[in-house]
Amino acid sequence: MTETPAHTTLWPAPHASGAIDTTVHVPGSKSVTNRALVLAALAAEPGWIRRPLRSRDTLLMAGALRALGVGIEEGVGPDGSGEAWRVIPAGLAGPATVDVGNAGTVMRFLPPVATLADGDIRFDGDPRSYERPLNGVIDALRALGARIDDESRGALPLTVHGGGALDGGTVEIDASSSSQFVSALLLSGARFNQGVEVRHTGERLPSMPHIRMTVEMLRAVGAQVDEPETGGEPNVWRVTPGALLGRDLVIEPDLSNAQPFLAAALVTGGRVVIPDWPERTTQPGDALREIFTEMGGSCELTEQGLVFTGSGLIHGIDIDLGEVGELTPGIAAVAALADSPSTLRGVAHLRLHETDRLAALTKEINELGGDVTETADGLHIRPRRLHGGIFHTYDDHRMATAGAVLGLAVEGVEIENVATTAKTLPDFPALWTGMLGA
């Protein structure tokens, strides 16, 4: 008997029979883990990464760095306090091939690293990765002295002809389609001969919290960074050349991946505790505390963690999500169940993510009976009574979790390819059914 391919398997989204009351331990942040891996690989001495996320994106990053010669040993930390990765920097060298999958952090953060390698480094990935913009990184690296062969596509596949070093200096880029263009150059900038000065010349820069995350993590490993938020020139970031230190970094829980569980409390009028929620963080997911409170919940940071409680009512919201665009699918799902319309703005760049998230959300919610329309930079959502049906994911992890949220309130929702959640949230189906006591 032939097994059904995972991508065509339908997962019956569990329907909530009542209010949830549970604690969910959310795995580590993908964004923090992958930045930590890059910085540790470029350091002058070994370092530790504690509580790393083990997911498709982070394992792709670790595999890519190993292909370049970096040692990454997986095991338990020196004090026996749980899983930790020991990262041992080495001379970067090719020839090597890097599989980026469909991970934006891998496809954008590693070409600058590859310029520091001796030899050719080829980058390839999933078919969707060929459609995602990479021109900001490619053009910037060429301007800084790199040799890159992309056959004028401005996208994958491509080959970086590493020369063992890069001059660096000042470069102008338009990062309006992805803040990762800026982060990619900053993360490797301290290793460039002249450091790097990145000037964003385009319109609005999305996902600023992720750039703040990059800057703070660079400073944590000893880099000198000048940026707009500490008195620097607007839209200009400078990293001074110098050695990076090997550190002992602890990875925070992924707050964006906490979203479906917080949404579950909101949708069911229940309560969920997320342990280890940081008091201060650069993660975009921290905005959920304010957003979901406005939509009808309440929250409190306690010694247990973040305690979030739904009121039994869900209110529509009019909000600019430009800085926290990755939260859009989950917010759209909750908004489709609200008692009034919602308008989600500032997220035109989501058309270039794992899939065109605006088109995908519109199509999938409407096929369940919803009333969603695309706008120039977002979505307008008018709540309607929904019905069951197949919710397609387009190989996008956040589409899958958004569908699961809808399934809590709508019987008969089936998620196509729920396995895509392994990109950043391993074992999501088990966590979800466990939350419901199933």
Side-chain angles (χ1 to χ4, degrees):
M1 181 176 174
T2 303
E3 291 187 4
T4 303
H7 67 278
T8 61
T9 300
L10 297 179
W11 181 67
H15 184 259
S17 58
I20 67 166
D21 188 355
T22 190
T23 296
V24 178
H25 291 268
V26 177
S29 164
K30 178 261 294 186
S31 297
V32 177
T33 299
N34 274 357
R35 282 166 173 78
L37 280 168
V38 171
L39 293 173
L42 294 175
E45 57 196 346
W48 286 96
I49 300 175
R50 299 174 186 266
R51 299 183 194 170
L53 173 67
R54 287 184 59 87
S55 72
R56 187 185 186 212
D57 279 17
T58 61
L59 294 176
L60 284 167
M61 180 66 85
L65 291 170
R66 287 188 178 112
L68 296 176
V70 177
I72 302 176
E73 301 172 352
E74 302 181 32
V76 176
D79 58 0
S81 61
E83 184 173 8
W85 293 352
R86 178 73 161 166
V87 182
I88 304 166
L92 305 175
T97 298
V98 168
D99 176 12
V100 310
N102 192 18
T105 51
V106 182
M107 73 178 71
R108 292 167 181 149
F109 292 177
L110 288 191
V113 175
T115 67
L116 303 172
D118 279 311
D120 292 349
I121 311 298
R122 178 170 172 77
F123 289 82
D124 208 338
D126 296 352
R128 171 62 180 172
S129 72
Y130 293 9
E131 302 171 17
R132 300 184 68 182
L134 199 53
N135 56 298
V137 174
I138 295 170
D139 294 344
L141 290 175
R142 284 185 176 136
L144 296 173
R147 290 193 304 124
I148 299 175
D149 178 13
D150 68 335
E151 298 181 359
S152 302
R153 282 184 298 265
L156 293 173
L158 61 84
T159 298
V160 176
H161 301 287
L166 192 70
D167 288 341
T170 300
V171 65
E172 293 186 348
I173 65 170
D174 180 354
S176 53
S177 62
S178 176
S179 68
Q180 289 177 352
F181 294 170
V182 174
S183 288
L185 297 167
L186 299 183
L187 285 167
S188 293
R191 289 286 305 274
F192 299 163
N193 295 337
Q194 302 173 41
V196 72
E197 178 180 294
V198 181
R199 293 178 166 268
H200 168 61
T201 60
E203 297 181 359
R204 176 176 179 168
L205 187 57
S207 304
M208 278 296 296
H210 280 127
I211 297 181
R212 295 185 198 112
M213 178 187 294
T214 297
V215 169
E216 289 205 3
M217 292 186 69
L218 274 163
R219 288 173 174 160
V221 296
Q224 181 178 327
V225 187
D226 297 322
E227 47 137 359
E229 295 195 5
T230 53
E233 200 174 337
N235 289 329
V236 177
W237 295 262
R238 298 182 185 88
V239 180
T240 302
L244 300 179
L245 306 175
R247 291 295 200 205
D248 189 333
L249 298 175
V250 179
I251 306 301
E252 299 173 347
D254 194 315
L255 307 188
S256 294
N257 277 341
Q259 180 180 37
F261 305 102
L262 300 177
L266 191 56
V267 168
T268 67
R271 173 181 176 272
V272 67
V273 179
I274 308 292
D276 302 317
W277 193 289
E279 288 188 22
R280 180 188 172 279
T281 180
T282 53
Q283 288 192 62
D286 194 45
L288 289 166
R289 292 193 288 165
E290 181 178 344
I291 294 169
F292 278 169
T293 295
E294 186 174 342
M295 295 186 80
S298 61
C299 66
E300 181 183 6
L301 267 178
T302 70
E303 290 184 359
Q304 292 177 279
L306 180 71
V307 180
F308 184 83
T309 307
S311 63
L313 298 173
I314 304 173
H315 308 309
I317 192 169
D318 186 331
I319 189 169
D320 188 322
L321 296 173
E323 292 217 340
V324 293
E326 66 192 48
L327 304 180
T328 302
I331 294 170
V334 173
L337 304 170
D339 58 12
S340 58
S342 295
T343 300
L344 313 183
R345 295 176 281 105
V347 287
H349 61 285
L350 294 189
R351 295 187 170 100
L352 302 170
H353 275 222
E354 281 82 345
T355 187
D356 178 342
R357 285 179 171 164
L358 300 184
L361 286 164
T362 300
K363 178 177 181 294
E364 297 309 312
I365 295 174
N366 286 351
E367 289 195 352
L368 299 182
D371 185 0
V372 182
T373 54
E374 280 193 64
T375 65
D377 71 339
L379 300 172
H380 187 61
I381 302 167
R382 302 167 194 83
R384 290 175 57 178
R385 184 177 179 83
L386 303 181
H387 55 71
I390 297 174
F391 192 92
H392 298 91
T393 63
Y394 309 88
D395 294 323
D396 186 333
H397 56 129
R398 300 207 192 279
M399 286 295 296
T401 53
V405 169
L406 290 170
L408 292 173
V410 182
E411 291 193 62
V413 174
E414 295 183 295
I415 311 297
E416 171 265 336
N417 190 17
V418 74
T420 195
T421 53
K423 177 180 171 69
T424 62
L425 187 51
D427 302 323
F428 169 74
L431 285 170
W432 196 249
T433 54
M435 171 192 74
L436 295 170

